[in-house]
Amino acid sequence: MRIVIAEDHPMFRAGVRGLLATTDDLEVVGEAATGEEAVKLAEELRPALVLMDIRMPGMNGIEATRAIKERLPETEVLVLTMFRDDQSVFTAMRVGAKGYVLKDADEEELLQAIRMVGSGRAVFGTGIAERMMHFFSSHAPESPLSANSNAESPPAAGSGKPGLADDPAFAELTRREAEILERIAGGETNAEIADYLGVSAKTVANHVSNILNKLQVLDRHAARKRVQQARRARQAGDT
């Protein structure tokens, strides 16, 4: 099985590479230290599986997983991370990861997870499976209609409604990033935003990565929720 390792810590990456080298059926064909590198290598090498860390410089592992699954649906992604919180687990699953294993897993658990995900089966590390079972037993699936109902349209030009660039909660963003965040909150895809702004989708993707890093959120859904919370707080302050 051909594998790409996406991990920004060289020592940990070397450890995983060394472990896989002890097997006869698993081959490391590429290594990436950023999300952008992971997407580029996946497109060039077409591996069966990408071992993906979540927190990396630039594009994070969540956005990289989303990009890889959109462009290479046949390539599986196994998240290998220290983050064991529910948000990280479910966000990774939502963007297309097939498995989620913690970095403190033992060698046999990791090798088994790689082989299972590479063959198309879903895998969750120790403790993660219990969270998944509890979550899905207590939450009904959200329909596309109800998911889209939470999206907010960006304020129209001349509407008098203040934009995010003027909101202190988003003071760290540039005006272009604030504009893109407005459109993310409106439910638009990168392609739609790029078409509206007259720029490339890659340019928008780079802006989105910067926005997520500055807001310290994992994905677009969390960024949209941050906008909704800020708008509710602003409305409450205006009353």
Side-chain angles (χ1 to χ4, degrees), residues 117-148:
V117 171
S119 64
R121 289 175 286 176
V123 173
F124 304 101
T126 305
I128 302 299
E130 295 178 5
R131 279 201 178 95
M132 295 292 290
M133 292 177 63
H134 174 73
F135 179 84
F136 287 113
S137 66
S138 58
H139 292 74
E142 184 178 39
S143 69
L145 180 61
S146 62
N148 289 335

Side-chain angles (χ1 to χ4, degrees), residues 44-142:
E44 291 177 354
L45 302 173
R46 306 274 171 158
L49 180 140
V50 176
L51 268 178
M52 184 75 73
D53 190 15
I54 287 183
R55 289 288 173 85
M56 292 183 289
M59 177 186 289
N60 64 35
I62 296 297
E63 288 298 311
T65 297
R66 186 197 305 276
I68 289 170
K69 294 304 294 182
E70 286 177 351
R71 303 173 196 181
L72 303 168
E74 71 280 5
T75 295
E76 302 293 359
V77 177
L78 172 60
V79 172
L80 182 61
T81 182
M82 289 301 297
F83 294 94
R84 62 182 71 231
D85 59 288
D86 290 351
Q87 181 186 6
S88 298
V89 176
F90 300 127
T91 300
M93 297 301 105
R94 189 165 57 242
V95 299
K98 188 63 69 71
Y100 197 103
V101 176
L102 299 176
K103 287 184 176 179
D104 58 6
D106 61 40
E107 294 181 352
E108 285 304 314
E109 181 181 357
L110 177 56
L111 291 175
Q112 181 182 35
I114 290 172
R115 292 184 174 110
M116 291 182 69
V117 171
S119 64
R121 289 175 286 176
V123 173
F124 304 101
T126 305
I128 302 299
E130 295 178 5
R131 279 201 178 95
M132 295 292 290
M133 292 177 63
H134 174 73
F135 179 84
F136 287 113
S137 66
S138 58
H139 292 74
E142 184 178 39

Side-chain angles (χ1 to χ4, degrees), residues 182-203:
E182 293 270 15
R183 309 206 78 81
I184 290 174
E188 295 184 21
T189 64
N190 283 4
E192 290 170 333
I193 297 172
D195 184 61
Y196 174 81
L197 296 177
V199 299
S200 71
K202 182 177 181 180
T203 296

Side-chain angles (χ1 to χ4, degrees), residues 163-175 177-178 181 214-215:
L164 298 183
D166 302 312
D167 191 324
F170 303 100
E172 192 176 352
L173 302 182
T174 66
R175 296 199 74 85
E177 289 168 351
L181 181 57
K214 288 181 179 181
L215 298 183

